[in-house]
Amino acid sequence: MKIDAEDKILAVLRQESKNIARYELFGVCRNAIFDLFTMLMVITNAAIEETSLEITSKSPIADTIFYHLNQKLTIEKIEEMLKHSVRRSAKLLKRRFGGRKFAIAIDFTEEMYYGDKSNPFVVGTKPKAGTYYAYRYLTTNIVVKGCRFFLFAYPFFKETDKLWLVNRALVFLEELGIQSYVILLDREFYTTDMVAMMGEKYRYIIPVRQDSKFENWVKRCGNLPALVSGWRLSNILHEEVETNLVILDEMKNNETHVYGYITNLPVEFYRTDPYVLSELYSRRWGIETSHRVEDNFRLKTTSKNGIVRYLFFAIGLLLYNLWVLINLLFCLDVLKFSIQIKVDEMKKIVAQVFNDFWDFVCSPERWFAFGLGGELQRRVFLVGEQLTDGLQVGMHAFKLQSKSSGI
């Protein structure tokens, strides 16, 4: 029985990892040395290995791939590739969880940047690791225990895009049919326009900005916890919105820490126990955990092209989602979900998929058995021994990398 399950896991992983590479991201002419599937397979393997295209495939293969990426990629095409995969996965999520609603976390994640500060794809950020600049992405996650799943990701370029990006993410959630019982947002989303956009359609929890207005209300309330109905936010145009503010306190390091949340959840939900809001909001940290695991699928690159960086980021998310889905698919009791297949185990299987793929490409005699002689044969004779030599070098580098990583 166990062997049957392992065989099924292997089959699904192989199929789904190839599906990532089958997406028609852009067109490739018939005379191209490599087709799109081959290029995306190389990129996917580099992400699995947490290495670069140059190490995985060696030049001139990496140079050829970067040529196509720099010339043909667009943000919209990458976004649609990500959405295409998530649409397929959402069907499984809804089957496994039925009509269940989810806690959804919306947040930003960053990749630190070193280089020319005039790069239009980077933004200023808090100093970290010797730089003040980063590639920044808005991400949207399901944060159910054991099923922290990426639903949306998009590059962030300027502050005025924030509202537009959150709306874009919420519209896609509606398209998927993914329903939320609460949206968890960071303090930087504490704005009049954001609260107005959420309205009564979406339930939200957002940490309050602890400014002088908040401190004055803490003094006025006296005993905590406290509920302030009709809490007002206003913008520079003097437009106002109202919501509820819940002020809480807790002991940290023998000191009283006072904090609060704005929320439009029904008061009846938290009236008897306001600290349930803290418990709910703590689930947002699941998105941080997701990014730490997703780092295991992060392709290394020195490219300054923000569109290429977005593609590599998206590939990492898709591989992470694949890991979550495989565990979800083979978990018997979804309410007691636990990780059964570790990241390293999954990477080992997907790496073998890549290994088999290169063995196939490097062995022309196999093509004819599958009726693939015509097209592939034509490609090989276009470049002669250069292609075969390049693939052999790439395969050698892949095996060395696999041995060094214990795969």
Side-chain angles (χ1 to χ4, degrees):
M1 190 73 176
K2 183 178 178 182
I3 295 177
D4 290 342
E6 290 176 351
D7 288 343
K8 290 179 181 177
I9 292 171
L10 177 64
V12 172
L13 264 177
R14 285 182 169 177
Q15 180 62 39
E16 292 303 316
S17 60
K18 288 180 180 178
N19 283 339
I20 294 175
R22 284 198 177 98
Y23 185 78
E24 291 296 323
L25 190 60
F26 51 76
V28 177
C29 67
R30 295 189 63 190
N31 292 330
I33 298 175
F34 305 110
D35 60 10
L36 180 59
F37 177 77
T38 303
M39 288 188 276
L40 288 179
M41 281 290 285
V42 175
I43 294 171
T44 301
N45 177 68
I48 285 288
E49 290 292 311
E50 297 177 68
T51 186
S52 67
L53 290 181
E54 289 82 0
I55 292 177
T56 300
S57 57
K58 294 292 183 182
S59 295
I61 300 174
D63 294 338
T64 301
I65 294 175
F66 272 114
Y67 168 79
H68 284 282
L69 298 183
N70 288 321
Q71 295 293 322
K72 300 177 180 180
L73 272 183
T74 67
I75 290 177
E76 290 72 23
K77 289 178 180 178
I78 301 168
E79 179 193 21
E80 189 51 44
M81 174 186 179
L82 190 59
K83 286 181 174 181
H84 174 77
S85 177
V86 171
R87 286 187 192 102
R88 296 177 68 252
S89 303
K91 296 177 181 178
L92 173 61
L93 289 175
K94 287 187 284 188
R95 277 204 307 270
R96 291 295 276 155
F97 288 98
R100 178 176 178 175
K101 294 183 178 181
F102 300 98
I104 303 291
I106 298 178
D107 202 0
F108 288 106
T109 188
E110 297 178 340
E111 293 180 353
M112 304 314 291
Y113 169 79
Y114 305 86
D116 184 4
K117 308 305 185 292
S118 63
N119 188 331
F121 299 106
V122 301
V123 296
T125 187
K126 295 179 181 178
K128 180 181 177 182
T131 182
Y132 291 81
Y133 295 89
Y135 298 97
R136 204 169 197 217
Y137 307 95
L138 180 133
T139 58
T140 305
N141 244 36
I142 289 174
V143 285
V144 174
K145 180 182 178 182
C147 183
R148 291 154 183 163
F149 187 86
F150 285 100
L151 298 169
F152 182 80
Y154 199 92
F156 176 81
F157 301 124
K158 54 184 181 294
E159 192 66 24
T160 53
D161 287 345
K162 189 179 294 181
L163 196 68
W164 175 80
L165 275 177
V166 173
N167 182 65
R168 197 175 184 89
L170 294 176
V171 168
F172 184 55
L173 290 189
E174 292 184 9
E175 178 193 326
L176 292 173
I178 300 292
Q179 299 185 61
S180 66
Y181 64 85
V182 67
I183 307 288
L184 307 173
L185 298 146
D186 198 1
R187 187 174 283 108
E188 63 182 302
F189 296 97
Y190 178 83
T191 67
T192 304
D193 294 338
M194 190 66 65
V195 173
M197 186 184 74
M198 290 287 177
E200 291 302 317
K201 186 175 182 179
Y202 302 101
R203 302 298 187 185
Y204 58 81
I205 300 177
I206 307 175
V208 67
R209 188 171 296 143
Q210 299 187 20
D211 51 18
S212 58
K213 178 184 175 183
F214 174 76
E215 292 174 356
N216 289 335
W217 271 98
V218 170
K219 293 175 183 177
R220 291 175 63 179
C221 290
N223 295 329
L224 300 180
L227 167 64
V228 180
S229 299
W231 179 259
R232 294 183 179 181
L233 287 80
S234 61
N235 57 23
I236 58 175
L237 299 177
H238 304 292
E239 298 169 328
E240 291 189 343
V241 293
E242 288 189 0
T243 185
N244 289 332
L245 167 66
V246 180
I247 305 176
L248 305 168
D249 65 345
E250 62 181 30
M251 292 297 294
K252 280 188 176 181
N253 300 323
N254 296 321
E255 293 184 0
T256 301
H257 172 62
V258 179
Y259 61 102
Y261 301 104
I262 59 169
T263 182
N264 62 348
L265 284 167
V267 176
E268 293 74 20
F269 175 74
Y270 55 84
R271 188 189 298 278
T272 58
D273 181 16
Y275 289 94
V276 71
L277 296 178
S278 291
E279 182 183 343
L280 263 182
Y281 190 75
S282 67
R283 298 183 186 182
R284 198 188 73 84
W285 305 120
I287 202 169
E288 305 292 343
T289 304
S290 300
H291 282 297
R292 284 196 295 272
V293 178
E294 182 264 326
D295 284 343
N296 289 286
F297 304 104
R298 190 65 62 86
L299 190 151
K300 293 180 173 59
T301 181
T302 58
S303 173
K304 301 298 189 293
N305 186 332
I307 301 177
V308 173
R309 301 289 291 240
Y310 178 36
L311 173 65
F312 293 169
F313 180 74
I315 292 292
L317 297 190
L318 293 181
L319 289 170
Y320 168 87
N321 279 353
L322 175 57
W323 171 65
V324 173
L325 283 176
I326 289 297
N327 280 284
L328 187 62
L329 185 63
F330 292 94
C331 174
L332 296 180
D333 187 350
V334 71
L335 297 179
K336 297 179 180 179
F337 183 84
S338 61
I339 297 300
Q340 299 179 359
I341 304 169
K342 305 304 181 185
V343 170
D344 288 345
E345 294 172 336
M346 172 192 156
K347 292 173 76 169
K348 185 184 299 184
I349 296 173
V350 179
Q352 186 59 48
V353 173
F354 180 83
N355 197 348
D356 294 343
F357 172 74
W358 276 132
D359 282 346
F360 180 81
V361 175
C362 291
S363 304
E365 66 274 9
R366 300 187 186 183
W367 306 341
F368 301 100
F370 290 87
L372 300 175
E375 178 64 17
L376 292 176
Q377 184 183 47
R378 184 187 61 78
R379 282 194 181 143
V380 167
F381 286 119
L382 280 174
V383 293
E385 295 181 353
Q386 179 184 2
L387 175 62
T388 304
D389 291 343
L391 292 175
Q392 288 174 347
V393 170
M395 192 62 219
H396 178 66
F398 168 77
K399 289 178 178 178
L400 290 177
Q401 185 71 15
S402 298
K403 289 179 180 178
S404 67
S405 60
I407 293 179

